[in-house]
Amino acid sequence: MKPFGNSLPCDGMDHPFKKLVVYHLPEVTAASSDLINADTIVCIDENGENEAAQELLKKILQSVNVTAFSQLLVESEKPIRLSQMISIEGQNLISFGPGLRQLGLSAKIPLYQIGKIGAFRILLAEDLTTISSSNAKKKMLWEALKQMFDADDR
């Protein structure tokens, strides 16, 4: 973060705020605004960025009639604080790869089972590449998604 100015002017007096540096706060981007207002948030890791994984993700979400969602890339080295971004009651969070600790949430939810933290439901799954290579994991994911979205009356 770059300082706004070197210091506040104090007319040469010895003032406690003489060397106060003012910083600009980062702007809220359109992506973070979408995230806050989305009914469904999808978190992926670096493995979910390739074309095949994105195509699988599209098919998965279409299967439960989710057409509008926010996607968030969670890098393994850079955990986030998702709890500060979620504000809609009844939001769904589906994480393909990143665990709760990486998302800045503290709870224990088994893979492929619906958990609840506050007013939102969470489904943790393995990364999209792993899921794509296992029919058993696809079936577990499908069962969990049906449970999550049937509750929404979609």
Side-chain angles (χ1 to χ4, degrees):
M1 211 178 302
K2 293 186 178 181
F4 177 71
N6 292 337
S7 62
L8 296 176
C10 293
D11 300 321
M13 296 175 53
D14 191 22
H15 193 276
F17 298 116
K18 185 175 182 179
K19 301 219 184 223
L20 179 68
V21 178
V22 179
Y23 291 91
H24 289 290
L25 295 175
E27 293 181 27
V28 175
T29 63
S32 63
S33 296
D34 290 345
L35 181 64
I36 292 169
N37 295 318
D39 287 335
T40 301
I41 300 170
V42 177
C43 297
I44 60 170
D45 60 11
E46 294 92 344
N47 294 327
E49 288 188 292
N50 66 56
E51 191 175 327
Q54 286 295 303
E55 188 60 33
L56 176 62
L57 177 60
K58 182 179 173 184
K59 288 178 183 177
I60 290 168
L61 295 175
Q62 284 176 342
S63 73
V64 288
N65 298 319
V66 174
T67 55
F69 62 94
S70 289
Q71 182 171 303
L72 180 64
L73 172 65
V74 181
E75 298 176 43
S76 56
E77 316 282 304
K78 300 177 185 176
I80 61 168
R81 293 191 148 221
L82 193 61
S83 58
Q84 295 177 349
M85 300 178 191
I86 295 176
S87 64
I88 296 176
E89 198 166 310
Q91 261 181 324
N92 296 307
L93 169 67
I94 307 168
S95 182
F96 294 101
L100 291 175
R101 183 170 282 160
Q102 274 184 282
L103 300 175
L105 300 170
S106 58
K108 291 185 180 185
I109 300 172
L111 289 176
Y112 304 106
Q113 294 192 19
I114 309 300
K116 194 165 185 176
I117 297 178
F120 59 97
R121 291 179 301 250
I122 298 176
L123 171 59
L124 298 175
E126 291 164 282
D127 66 81
L128 291 164
T129 305
T130 302
I131 293 169
S132 70
S133 63
S134 169
N135 286 334
K137 291 177 191 215
K138 287 178 189 175
K139 186 175 180 176
M140 288 188 297
L141 176 62
W142 172 241
E143 292 301 321
L145 286 168
K146 285 193 310 186
Q147 181 185 351
M148 177 178 261
F149 289 99
D150 282 348
D152 277 352
D153 296 322
R154 291 186 186 245

